[in-house]
Amino acid sequence: KSVGVNHIVALRGDMPDMGSFQAHPDGYSSSVELVKTVKQHGCFDITVSAYPEKHPESPSFETDINLLKAKIDVGADQAITQFVFDTDMQFSFRDKIMARGIKIPVIPGIIPTTNFKGVQSMAEKCGTIIPEWLGAKYSGLEDDFERRQEISIQVAADQCRKLISEGFDRLHFYTLNQYKVIREVCNILGLATGSEAGRDLNGHSK
């Protein structure tokens, strides 16, 4: 706050060994408590996480929606979803949370990647389904970086187009330091870059 920060992404985070969450004795018991505490300081916009596919530690999808609702009730302003490759799941998730009266912006997570094996590992840990068609695209390309890069750009751009066509006006990229890939996706979509970064798809400041 003292240095002008006004937007916080408040996440519970994962344990170093990716095991079940154990709260630090001097820390917060949950992301809900974290969001509530941050909001009490005032002047912060708070972004939280959301899961179109069930969180691996959650007993049910309904539990995930209840947790998102609890974070909103204590002050969350918007949510970013875990990355998803089956875009229809984003649409289904939007319908389900709207039915629960959740109206904050929910921003789809996109993860273009040239390292498919790495994303497979990440997806396994976070419960994200990788469609067979996507695995087939990368099959046999372990030594062909340029082709993998082309595929990652194409897949991400196609996914973004579908999301935009269905009314999503904000997107979140998990960049994994692959700024060239993200930049090319943005160029294909005609999205602002450079000095125009930080705007939604309608040109509004975020």
Side-chain angles (χ1 to χ4, degrees):
K1 181 176 178 179
S2 66
V3 297
V5 173
N6 56 25
H7 184 182
I8 291 178
V9 180
L11 308 175
R12 188 204 72 179
D14 298 314
M15 300 299 289
D17 60 0
M18 298 302 293
S20 297
F21 177 73
Q22 299 292 326
H24 189 281
D26 299 322
Y28 297 106
S29 62
S30 68
S31 55
V32 176
E33 185 181 353
L34 171 62
V35 172
K36 182 178 181 180
T37 304
V38 172
K39 202 66 176 183
Q40 288 173 345
H41 284 274
C43 81
F44 292 115
D45 289 329
I46 300 177
T47 297
V48 295
S49 60
Y51 292 85
E53 300 175 78
K54 188 179 75 67
H55 190 285
E57 295 180 36
S58 178
S60 69
F61 187 75
E62 187 67 19
T63 301
D64 284 342
I65 295 181
N66 289 339
L67 179 59
L68 176 59
K69 183 69 165 57
K71 290 186 284 190
I72 294 168
D73 289 343
V74 296
D77 298 292
Q78 63 182 10
I80 293 171
T81 76
Q82 179 60 274
F83 64 87
V84 173
F85 293 108
D86 185 347
T87 309
D88 288 341
M89 287 187 175
Q90 292 281 16
F91 305 148
S92 176
F93 181 63
R94 178 175 62 179
D95 292 343
K96 288 175 181 176
I97 63 175
M98 287 179 66
R100 285 290 304 275
I102 294 174
K103 299 179 180 179
I104 65 168
V106 176
I107 305 169
I110 312 294
I111 187 168
T113 180
T114 58
N115 181 2
F116 184 64
K117 287 185 177 180
V119 166
Q120 280 181 307
S121 177
M122 291 174 60
E124 182 178 351
K125 292 173 182 176
C126 69
T128 296
I129 297 172
I130 295 184
E132 290 186 7
W133 63 262
L134 183 59
K137 283 183 176 291
Y138 285 94
S139 179
L141 299 178
E142 289 79 9
D143 298 322
D144 192 342
F145 173 79
E146 289 189 5
R147 182 59 185 144
R148 294 200 313 272
Q149 188 175 60
E150 291 173 1
I151 290 171
S152 69
I153 292 169
Q154 171 204 338
V155 169
D158 288 346
Q159 187 176 19
C160 291
R161 286 192 189 99
K162 190 172 183 181
L163 289 164
I164 294 168
S165 71
E166 290 294 328
F168 286 93
D169 64 356
R170 303 183 190 184
L171 304 171
H172 175 81
F173 292 104
Y174 293 87
T175 65
L176 304 180
N177 294 325
Q178 298 184 83
Y179 76 93
K180 292 182 179 179
V181 171
I182 305 301
R183 183 177 62 189
E184 185 57 30
V185 172
C186 290
N187 286 338
I188 290 172
L189 297 172
L191 302 182
T193 58
S195 62
E196 291 298 310
R199 295 179 178 271
D200 64 23
L201 303 182
N202 293 316
H204 303 132
S205 296
K206 296 193 298 180

